[in-house]
Amino acid sequence: MTTDRLCVNMFFSHASSKILRTSIHRHGAAVLRSANFTTKETIDIKKCDVHLLDEAPATSVLVAREDALQYYRSMQTMRSLALKARELHKQNIIRGPCHLYTGQEACAVGIEAAITDTDRLITAYRSHGFTFTRGGSLKEIIAEMAGRRTGISKGRGGPMHMFTKNFHGGYAIVGSQVSLGAGLALALKYRNTDDLSVCVYGDGAANQGQVAETMNMAALWKLPVIFACENNGYAKGTSVGRCTVNTDFYKRGDVIPGLRVDGMDVLSVREATRFASDHCRSGKVSFLFNKMEHLSLCRFISTCPFLVSQGPIIMELQTYRFFGHAIGDTEHKYRTADEVDKIRKERDPISLLEGHLIRNNMANMEELREINEKSVTDVEEASQFAIQSPEPLVEELCNYIYCNNPPLNIRGINPWTKLKSSM
């Protein structure tokens, strides 16, 4: 069976019910309980590997039923969104490179569960999941993927470049977001806030020179940044072992502390991110010094290390993508269908959370099915909204080039095409 057919069989039409039937087989009668749900439960998670840390995240975490259901709801919605995007791409409604987040949902949901709304986050081009967890609506996201005026970037970003409040987008230049993420952390520290920056990148980007340069500066200046490496095992079509000598990405910052986390378990990601954020926020400069002159403040801080934040931390999330690097990728040339199928059956992040919920009597089959069905319905409604939305006007193409700037004459793609910016 080809990888493409395997994906369709696994995820479309009756995907959710298949997962739930599997849960019944694995977890028995506990699936069918409906009354007296457990409202809170302590759940064991996989131990993290640590680098230059005296402590590690807990291996038993307290989880509230409502929180767990919200994580499940978010991951199912992201899964449905990706599958719909794949369908729309094949219909040429979504065009250009489109990188699906299927299989990596626990990373975005777990990180978001452990940071605040005012923290900053930046990632690469596989950005749909983070756009959703950071507050983007399904309608805005799918409309943007289809290049419509109602999209979250007004149709200018397409499937890769999305932005919303405190989410600084997806970037196509490999590794570029790492430098920008550290810049966000520098701005937060300069403003003396208690916020931090989460900078998400892939295992392929970890070998970029600017990543090493950025980590050096972040450590030197003790910036409040979490470097979150989503290690899905492949840099496009090249396996980690073929392109990287040191595959311990959580140790790649040398003097920067690090964690290696099970990126397929949303609870493990949440707990590790809480640990990492506590590390970054500890020891911040007191608000007392806000009114000091900048030069005096810098000199004072340099002589008082205890007033400076702990600085950056690296968090390697061991995850896996169930589809190719991008839609249309010939993934059968670098990995087998059996490999994908095995990981999907054993480590699907939605199935893992489902197991936690059912074993601990925090949900039942009917409730989870309703969540699954609603996620499909919501995505379908959003896709119809996107399809019916207009494309951007040519007259608006050059808007937003500069902020608060008078109108400019802009040269088009050839000398005789003249455009004008109006914002």
Side-chain angles (χ1 to χ4, degrees), residues 245-279:
V245 174
N246 180 7
T247 58
D248 291 332
F249 293 100
Y250 70 112
K251 297 180 180 179
R252 293 283 288 271
D254 190 17
V255 299
I256 299 176
L259 303 165
R260 181 158 59 193
V261 188
D262 182 1
M264 303 298 267
D265 186 345
V266 65
L267 302 182
S268 294
V269 177
R270 186 193 73 172
E271 191 63 24
T273 306
R274 283 179 175 173
F275 182 94
S277 63
D278 288 344
H279 172 91

Side-chain angles (χ1 to χ4, degrees), residues 123 155 215 249 294 304 389:
T123 187
M215 288 183 175
F249 293 100
H294 291 161
C304 301
S389 295

